[in-house]
Amino acid sequence: MRELMVVGVRIELPSNQPLVLLKEIDGPRHLPIWIGAPEASAIAMSQQGMATPRPMTHDLLEAVVSALGHPLVEARLVAVKDTVFYAELEFDGGASVDSRASDAIAFALRAGCPITCSDEVLEEAGVMVSEDGNTADGAEDQVRQFREFLADVEPEDFGE
């Protein structure tokens, strides 16, 4: 398993589909995952440290599991099948729960725990990015468009 960090949440143009971009902490690969608007909003809000007057779903989940004495210790991206990412949530005490990748990422950000990814997922869906910002696998245009999008997106772009 490789540890990842969340680079950001953006809207892919022209489809207006939200995606979260993760990056290997000790490597050059990036992992783009297309997600739903509510999850994009939850991830973006957490990354920016935005608080809501009342707990949102991921905040509530984190508070409940912590109150029960078994906080989240790791979110793992374990598989990708037909462009659908699968994740597992690992809790203190050893319990493991199946999760959508976007929910696992949003929850992990709130819990302050590592997000990891299997080598198989990174091999299949990762994008190699060199020091100069070009991709090593011929996806330069996709990365360029993604970077342009990252430069212009705001949390408000995701609605409520």
Side-chain angles (χ1 to χ4, degrees):
M1 299 296 278
R2 306 283 180 143
E3 189 169 353
L4 305 176
M5 61 180 249
V6 177
V7 174
V9 176
R10 304 299 184 255
I11 303 291
E12 191 236 352
L13 300 173
S15 69
N16 289 326
Q17 176 69 38
L19 63 91
V20 60
L21 182 66
L22 301 112
K23 182 192 179 303
E24 278 184 289
I25 288 181
D26 294 322
R29 291 178 288 194
H30 286 73
L31 186 65
I33 302 175
W34 278 258
I35 59 177
E39 295 79 14
S41 181
I43 292 168
M45 288 177 65
S46 182
Q47 266 204 305
Q48 295 179 1
M50 295 174 68
T52 58
R54 301 292 300 142
M56 301 299 286
T57 303
H58 297 98
D59 301 312
L60 175 63
L61 181 60
E62 196 278 326
V64 167
V65 299
S66 292
L68 294 175
H70 295 287
L72 183 67
V73 295
E74 184 177 12
R76 298 184 192 126
L77 304 175
V78 296
V80 59
K81 298 174 188 165
D82 299 322
T83 70
V84 175
F85 287 82
Y86 295 79
E88 292 176 352
L89 300 172
E90 179 75 25
F91 295 92
D92 180 52
S96 181
V97 176
D98 181 43
S99 174
R100 296 185 309 170
S102 56
D103 288 327
I105 294 165
F107 188 10
L109 288 172
R110 282 159 177 76
C113 72
I115 300 167
T116 61
C117 184
S118 72
D119 288 328
E120 293 81 15
V121 170
L122 282 170
E123 286 296 321
E124 183 172 338
V127 177
M128 296 289 289
V129 179
S130 65
E131 292 297 320
D132 63 4
N134 292 322
T135 61
D137 61 2
E140 289 89 358
D141 189 50
Q142 181 181 5
V143 172
R144 180 190 54 74
Q145 289 177 355
F146 185 73
R147 286 190 174 145
E148 289 172 3
F149 170 75
L150 290 177
D152 295 327
V153 74
E154 298 294 330
E156 296 80 27
D157 295 336
F158 298 106
E160 292 186 42

